[in-house]
Amino acid sequence: MAYPLVAVVGRPNVGKSTFFNKVAGRKISITENRPGVTRDRIYADCEWRGKPFTLVDTGGIELKSDDTMWRHIAKQAEVAVETADVILFFTDGREGITSSDYDVADMLRRCGKPVVLVVNKIDDYSPDKLFEYYALGLGEPFGVSSEHSRGIGDVLDKAVEQFPHGDAEEHDALKIAVVGKPNAGKSSLVNKLLGAERSIVTDIAGTTRDAIDTTFERGGKKYTIIDTAGIRRKRSVDDDVEYYSVLRAFDAVRRADVCLLTVDCNEGLTEQDVKIIGYVHEAGKPSVIVMNKWDTIEKDTHTVQKFEEKLKNDLKFMDYFKSVYVSAKTGQRTDKILALAEEVYAHANFRVPTGALNDLLIDAMRVSEPPSYQGRRMKLYYASQVAVNPPLFALVVNDETLLHFSYKRYLENVIREAYDFSGTPIKVQVRNKKEKE
């Protein structure tokens, strides 16, 4: 299930990116003392008081500007507002309220989402400095200094209070995001799966501007297909409208249960394809690599094997991948895609019994002992699977610093050899015995 999404919005140069960097714990957004530096949305998974959420940084909103760049920045910020569960509206405590603040406040009141009003750059806090901000009609203002990390906790307390409570509405439709580079045939693939010309299909890259959800039934099962804009390399994104198209695609990955990573067989796996696949891997999403336009490839009995070897070589970080070779144009093997999506999703939600897991790992450590360091060797006390989607395995040991990366990888491979987790990432988490308590 996707984490609650918290969007940071406001006019330019009010300190949104500085706040984002403090909460994210690392310098992700570019911060510079001039407006317009953050032109795209940037995501970071964060946690506050045990509650995980995804924080989204946005470009500044200038709603009444006629400048093309500002119009596009405003559009991608509006996209963030549309998809957010909670909105942090930033204003500047040094400048006071501006007409742009009133414009943005009006937009936010109409959106119907919970809004936390943040007055930034309050270095010397005094309640008197916040009174005028009640005029924005967004409730109690929170005075903070992002630069000096003051008041941030109060803002996050208020934000997490407004997260959706209980179980979110569960949809029985499997959500499948179709992602990849422009012109890889994503829209043609979606049309073939739906059996209808729903997406506009042309030979011009970038036709699909937004992520579009379509729910349908097949074989008594419900699916939601999310068609997305092609994800280009950053330096290739010279049209401002591409910024929010690309980031809608990233948002589609975040919302999806399964991702179809669409690759043009004629081009093979490019550097950009690997980056997109890596993003899906880091997001912990089960996936299927769809090698499209297979009808245009000259083939012999070893062609698939050669392509598979190339995939294995280029995707060493993701050796669990599942692939299928299709033609969206002719329909060749497209009937296998939904079954594969169901399969990898089932693998992502599989649970290994605790007793069996402990027996498996203890046997593996007998076969190949952990390396020793200064006469000390790691000892496993207990293992359990603590989460699914993606599967997360927790190992309780005597000293986590004794577990080398290569040995951790060995244990991951042992789990994969014993249980079928193809198509989904798995994670192994290690902690000391005393931390368990």
Side-chain angles (χ1 to χ4, degrees):
M1 183 180 293
Y3 293 156
L5 194 147
V6 178
V8 183
V9 303
R11 60 185 174 83
N13 209 28
V14 293
K16 300 183 298 298
S17 295
T18 302
F19 174 87
F20 178 88
N21 293 336
K22 293 285 186 180
V23 176
R26 57 198 188 279
K27 197 164 187 177
I28 297 173
S29 293
I30 299 169
T31 50
E32 189 174 329
N33 194 27
R34 64 181 178 85
V37 172
T38 306
R39 290 172 59 176
D40 55 346
R41 288 184 291 152
I42 301 177
Y43 292 90
D45 286 335
C46 308
E47 186 175 296
W48 183 250
R49 297 192 183 280
K51 295 184 179 180
F53 61 94
T54 299
L55 192 66
V56 177
D57 192 16
T58 69
I61 306 176
E62 288 282 12
L63 294 179
K64 293 184 177 178
S65 173
D66 292 327
D67 183 86
T68 301
M69 183 188 77
W70 286 119
R71 285 205 306 273
H72 291 318
I73 291 175
K75 176 61 179 175
Q76 57 86 19
E78 289 168 21
V79 169
V81 169
E82 287 173 19
T83 56
D85 294 295
V86 178
I87 298 157
L88 306 183
F89 174 35
F90 267 65
T91 58
D92 191 324
R94 293 175 188 163
E95 291 188 20
I97 301 178
T98 68
S99 60
S100 291
D101 289 327
Y102 281 111
D103 293 338
V104 177
D106 288 342
M107 180 190 81
L108 294 179
R109 278 198 302 273
R110 292 194 299 270
C111 79
K113 303 286 182 71
V115 178
V116 180
L117 175 58
V118 182
V119 184
N120 195 23
K121 305 182 185 179
I122 303 291
D123 297 331
D124 297 313
Y125 177 79
S126 168
D128 296 346
K129 297 180 179 179
L130 303 179
F131 286 155
E132 67 172 298
Y133 292 88
Y134 282 95
L136 292 172
L138 292 171
E140 178 188 1
F142 288 79
V144 307
S145 172
S146 296
E147 189 173 353
H148 298 106
S149 301
R150 294 175 188 154
I152 290 177
D154 294 335
V155 170
L156 295 178
D157 282 343
K158 185 66 174 178
V160 299
E161 275 178 20
Q162 300 183 76
F163 287 171
H165 290 293
D167 293 332
E169 182 184 353
E170 291 292 337
H171 297 279
D172 54 0
L174 185 69
K175 295 186 288 296
I176 303 173
V178 183
V179 299
K181 291 193 311 181
N183 218 26
K186 297 182 301 299
S187 293
S188 296
L189 182 63
V190 168
N191 290 339
K192 186 61 67 173
L193 292 174
L194 294 175
E197 291 294 322
R198 185 198 54 81
S199 298
I200 299 171
V201 181
T202 71
D203 291 328
I204 304 169
T207 302
T208 306
R209 287 295 188 190
D210 291 331
I212 307 165
D213 295 15
T214 305
T215 299
F216 68 102
E217 286 194 27
R218 184 72 48 78
K221 295 180 180 178
K222 289 184 180 179
Y223 302 92
T224 298
I225 292 286
I226 310 171
D227 189 11
T228 65
I231 304 174
R232 302 184 183 186
R233 286 193 298 179
K234 200 59 169 282
R235 61 175 174 268
S236 299
V237 184
D238 51 9
D239 178 1
D240 286 304
V241 74
E242 289 291 340
Y243 281 99
Y244 59 85
S245 296
V246 166
L247 286 150
R248 272 201 194 261
F250 283 141
D251 184 62
V253 170
R254 189 186 70 88
R255 293 190 292 119
D257 298 316
V258 177
C259 296
L260 301 183
L261 306 166
T262 313
V263 178
D264 185 339
C265 285
N266 295 287
E267 295 185 17
L269 205 62
T270 65
E271 179 185 356
Q272 181 63 1
D273 288 315
V274 173
K275 286 183 179 179
I276 295 168
I277 292 169
Y279 176 82
V280 173
H281 168 75
E282 290 296 323
K285 299 293 183 178
S287 60
V288 177
I289 297 177
V290 180
M291 302 296 288
N292 193 24
K293 306 185 183 179
W294 191 239
D295 58 310
T296 63
I297 300 293
E298 287 190 21
K299 294 176 276 291
D300 58 33
T301 54
H302 302 292
T303 306
V304 171
Q305 183 181 347
K306 290 175 183 175
F307 271 82
E308 284 291 288
E309 289 299 325
K310 182 71 164 61
L311 287 177
K312 288 177 184 176
N313 185 62
D314 292 341
L315 300 177
K316 290 178 180 176
F317 65 92
M318 190 176 158
D319 55 5
Y320 58 82
F321 70 84
K322 293 280 284 189
S323 58
V324 62
Y325 294 80
V326 310
S327 168
K329 184 177 181 180
T330 67
Q332 182 185 15
R333 279 191 288 277
T334 54
D335 58 335
K336 297 181 181 295
I337 292 175
L338 294 179
L340 280 171
E342 291 273 7
E343 180 183 328
V344 298
Y345 185 66
H347 293 169
N349 286 278
F350 179 75
R351 282 190 180 272
V352 179
T354 300
L357 177 66
N358 281 269
D359 291 344
L360 175 69
L361 295 182
I362 289 170
D363 287 346
M365 293 175 75
R366 285 175 182 154
V367 171
S368 176
E369 289 189 333
S372 61
Y373 179 72
Q374 295 183 345
R376 300 188 69 227
R377 197 181 300 276
M378 189 199 75
K379 180 180 179 182
L380 175 66
Y381 292 114
Y382 182 77
S384 64
Q385 184 177 347
V386 296
V388 296
N389 202 17
L392 172 61
F393 300 92
L395 312 184
V396 181
V397 301
N398 57 333
D399 186 351
E400 63 183 88
T401 62
L402 297 174
L403 182 62
H404 191 269
F405 168 79
S406 61
Y407 196 78
K408 183 178 178 182
R409 181 75 174 181
Y410 162 70
L411 295 179
E412 288 180 10
N413 289 335
V414 165
I415 295 171
R416 284 193 179 277
E417 287 171 11
Y419 299 95
D420 189 355
F421 285 111
S422 57
T424 181
I426 66 173
K427 298 181 180 180
V428 174
Q429 202 175 62
V430 186
R431 58 180 184 238
N432 293 339
K433 186 177 182 181
K434 60 182 180 182
E435 292 182 0
K436 184 188 176 188
E437 303 303 325

